């Protein structure tokens, strides 16, 4: 069992490259961060005087102490400095970027997948190292399995592909179950799998698709398949020390499954729809529902620990965690909200009101925080934000 594998969709281990000098203890994570930099992404078509906004739909990779690698809907991948004021390099893919960027932490690389299915790997100097093609559109965040050197990609049209993490070579293709309505002309049946794969403690990959949950080895062998009766839009959560997986279908029932067999061990109803992905921290799993509520479940007892009336993630985004272990999400109002892990107490909520003309402050993506005290969010209206948390010793931050 490897407890260092990413446990949920926006687990910081997927979106963070840590410099050895970064010290998470040097930051007040329980105090409201403030905007200390922003950038508007625009494009001016040839022959037109007015620039158009470039939406940002994917969460970035944060390089703590150095900056952030951001993907945009015009296909650009750009490494900015910490404040978003300076551009180190930029590359462009062949289509919009919707799936969140992920890090190959061992090699200090960033992997980006465009909606066309083009996957590309870059080093921190912006040099392309490999590219690969997945035949179907990709919107789900891919999964890195570092021990097996695999990148697991869930794509539309019910397909899962495994790539070699070092070279991009294709390792497997696996057909996934189609939604039940695919056989009846369901107009959105092709938009599946939407949920992102997650790792088990055994180093396998769990894919939630249609009304099913599947477990694949790093070489694409299917170990088990469980039908849950309802469609799944939220990504699962790996409870690695328990050999369990939590899955939350749209009916609001949280299912605890044995990660080795797929057997359902427990079920807890939340009485509201789930489309945002949950996150795990310190033995708790925080699940947001579309009524705005966040519920924390105990991974050991499978019982409810606390509930909060605020802080649920916007549809199809995720709860994630700070270096402190507290839960954060971009809430329905477009601000990032932080809840204390232990009891769900409200800690802070961001503000992006900057007094700028034609500025819409609401954000849309799942935030990513670096251990150096920087956090990044962005919006479909094309604005990226750099937030800073208050340092305990401001001299240590320069």
């Amino acid at each position: 069992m490897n407890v260092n594998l990413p446990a949920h969709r926006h687990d910081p281990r997927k979106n963070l490259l840590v410099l050895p000098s970064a010290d998470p203890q040097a930051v007040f994570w329980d105090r409201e961060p403030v905007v200390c930099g922003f950038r508007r992404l625009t494009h001016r078509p040839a022959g037109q005087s007015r620039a158009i906004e470039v939406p940002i739909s994917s969460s970035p990779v944060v390089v703590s102490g150095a900056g952030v690698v951001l993907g945009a809907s015009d296909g650009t991948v750009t490494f900015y400095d910490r404040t978003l004021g300076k551009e180190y390099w930029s590359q462009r893919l062949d289509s919009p970027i919707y799936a969140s960027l992920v890090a190959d932490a061992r090699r200090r690389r960033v992997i980006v997948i465009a909606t066309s299915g083009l996957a590309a790997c870059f080093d921190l100097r912006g040099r392309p190292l490999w590219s690969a093609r997945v035949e179907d559109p990709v919107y789900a965040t891919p999964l890195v399995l570092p021990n097996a050197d695999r990148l697991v990609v869930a794509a539309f049209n019910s397909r899962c592909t495994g790539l070699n993490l070092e070279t991009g070579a294709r390792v497997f293709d696996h057909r996934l179950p189609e939604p039940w309505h695919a056989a009846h002309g369901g107009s959105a049946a092709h938009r599946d799998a939407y949920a992102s794969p997650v790792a088990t403690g055994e180093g396998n990959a769990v894919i939630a698709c249609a009304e099913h949950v599947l477990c694949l080895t790093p070489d694409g062998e299917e170990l088990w398949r469980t039908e849950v009766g309802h469609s799944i839009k939220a990504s699962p959560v790996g409870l690695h020390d328990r050999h369990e997986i939590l899955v939350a279908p749209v009916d609001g029932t949280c299912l605890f499954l044995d990660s080795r067999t797929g057997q359902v061990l427990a079920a807890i109803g939340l009485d509201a729809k789930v489309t945002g992905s949950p996150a795990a921290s310190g033995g708790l799993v925080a699940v947001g529902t579309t009524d705005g509520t966040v519920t924390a479940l105990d991974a050991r007892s499978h019982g409810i620990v606390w509930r909060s009336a605020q802080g649920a993630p916007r549809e199809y985004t995720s709860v994630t965690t700070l270096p402190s272990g507290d839960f954060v999400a971009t809430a329905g109002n477009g601000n990032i909200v932080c809840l204390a892990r232990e009891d769900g107490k409200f800690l802070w909520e961001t503000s992006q009101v900057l007094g700028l003309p034609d500025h819409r402050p609401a954000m849309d993506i799942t935030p990513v925080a670096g251990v150096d005290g920087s956090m990044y969010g962005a919006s479909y209206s094309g604005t990226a934000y750099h937030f800073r948390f208050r340092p305990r010793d401001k001299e240590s931050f320069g």
Side-chain angles (χ1 to χ4, degrees):
M1 181 180 70
N2 188 333
V3 295
N4 292 317
L5 290 165
H8 49 268
R9 181 185 176 200
H10 282 102
D11 189 314
R13 284 167 287 199
K14 296 177 72 172
N15 300 93
L16 186 60
L17 291 173
V18 180
L19 298 181
S21 60
D23 179 11
Q25 302 303 317
V27 174
F28 285 109
W29 298 106
D30 59 349
R31 303 185 187 183
E32 180 183 335
V34 297
V35 176
C36 289
F38 68 93
R39 178 176 284 260
R40 286 177 163 176
L41 275 61
T42 59
H43 172 70
R44 191 183 304 275
Q48 297 190 21
S49 59
R50 184 176 179 178
I52 60 175
E53 300 166 339
V54 177
I56 303 168
S57 304
S58 66
S59 294
V61 164
V62 174
V63 186
S64 287
V68 60
V69 184
L70 192 68
S73 290
D74 61 354
T76 56
V77 185
T78 307
F79 189 10
Y80 297 102
D81 74 346
R82 187 179 181 188
T83 68
L84 298 171
K86 178 181 179 181
E87 181 181 306
Y88 292 128
W89 54 260
S90 187
Q91 296 281 359
R92 190 162 193 166
L93 276 61
D94 65 351
S95 57
I97 299 165
Y98 187 92
S100 295
L101 283 59
V102 294
D104 179 352
R106 181 160 62 90
R107 300 181 181 91
R108 302 181 66 79
R109 298 174 176 178
V110 176
I111 299 166
V112 189
I113 301 186
T115 55
S116 66
L118 174 65
C121 178
F122 303 96
D123 67 15
L124 293 183
R125 295 181 179 272
R127 293 177 296 198
L129 301 175
W130 57 257
S131 64
R133 178 72 65 174
V134 176
E135 281 79 5
D136 297 285
V138 176
Y139 285 73
T141 301
L143 169 67
V144 171
L145 293 175
N147 292 349
D149 243 5
R150 292 290 182 270
L151 184 75
V152 181
V153 183
F156 281 4
N157 297 317
S158 304
R159 184 182 296 273
C160 182
T161 299
L163 303 177
N164 183 288
L165 191 59
E166 181 178 11
T167 67
R170 184 170 306 193
V171 179
F172 70 82
D173 275 310
H174 192 92
R175 294 296 304 175
L176 302 174
E178 293 183 334
W180 69 267
H181 51 88
H184 301 272
S187 300
H190 67 287
R191 296 179 58 83
D192 196 80
Y194 193 91
S196 301
V198 68
T200 71
E202 299 77 34
N204 298 314
V206 166
I207 298 95
C209 57
E211 303 82 35
H212 295 77
V213 186
L214 288 78
C215 183
L216 304 180
T217 70
D219 293 327
E221 178 188 357
E222 185 172 321
L223 298 179
W224 53 259
R225 178 184 299 200
T226 299
E227 183 172 356
V228 299
H230 300 271
S231 64
I232 306 167
K233 301 301 180 184
S235 303
V237 174
L239 306 172
H240 298 150
D241 59 339
R242 304 285 303 161
H243 296 286
E244 294 180 15
I245 295 290
L246 181 139
V247 179
V250 295
D251 74 326
T253 302
C254 292
L255 302 173
F256 291 86
L257 277 63
D258 188 311
S259 63
R260 297 160 296 188
T261 65
Q263 178 186 359
V264 177
L265 304 174
I268 299 176
L270 301 184
D271 299 321
K273 189 174 184 177
V274 177
T275 58
S277 300
S281 179
L284 299 181
V285 183
V287 187
T289 48
T290 55
D291 63 355
T293 302
V294 180
T295 302
L297 306 176
D298 188 303
R300 182 174 295 275
S301 69
H302 301 154
I304 295 174
V305 178
W306 53 258
R307 275 198 165 111
S308 171
Q310 60 182 320
R314 292 171 77 95
E315 287 191 339
Y316 307 111
T317 63
S318 302
V319 182
T320 186
T321 56
L322 293 176
S324 63
D326 297 316
F327 294 109
V328 293
T330 300
N333 64 0
N335 297 334
I336 301 170
V337 174
C338 180
L339 303 176
R341 174 179 58 191
E342 290 79 8
D343 56 9
K345 176 185 175 183
F346 169 81
L347 295 180
W348 50 258
E349 179 178 349
T350 64
S351 171
Q352 301 76 245
V353 178
L354 306 176
L356 301 171
D358 301 320
H359 174 231
R360 288 168 283 172
M363 294 181 292
D364 298 283
I365 71 166
T366 303
V368 182
V371 294
D372 60 353
S374 289
M375 181 175 69
Y376 297 89
S379 70
Y380 296 160
S381 60
T383 304
Y385 300 92
H386 167 232
F387 296 88
R388 280 192 75 169
F389 289 86
R390 182 177 176 179
R392 294 182 183 274
D393 175 7
K394 60 183 178 182
E395 292 184 357
S396 67
F397 285 79

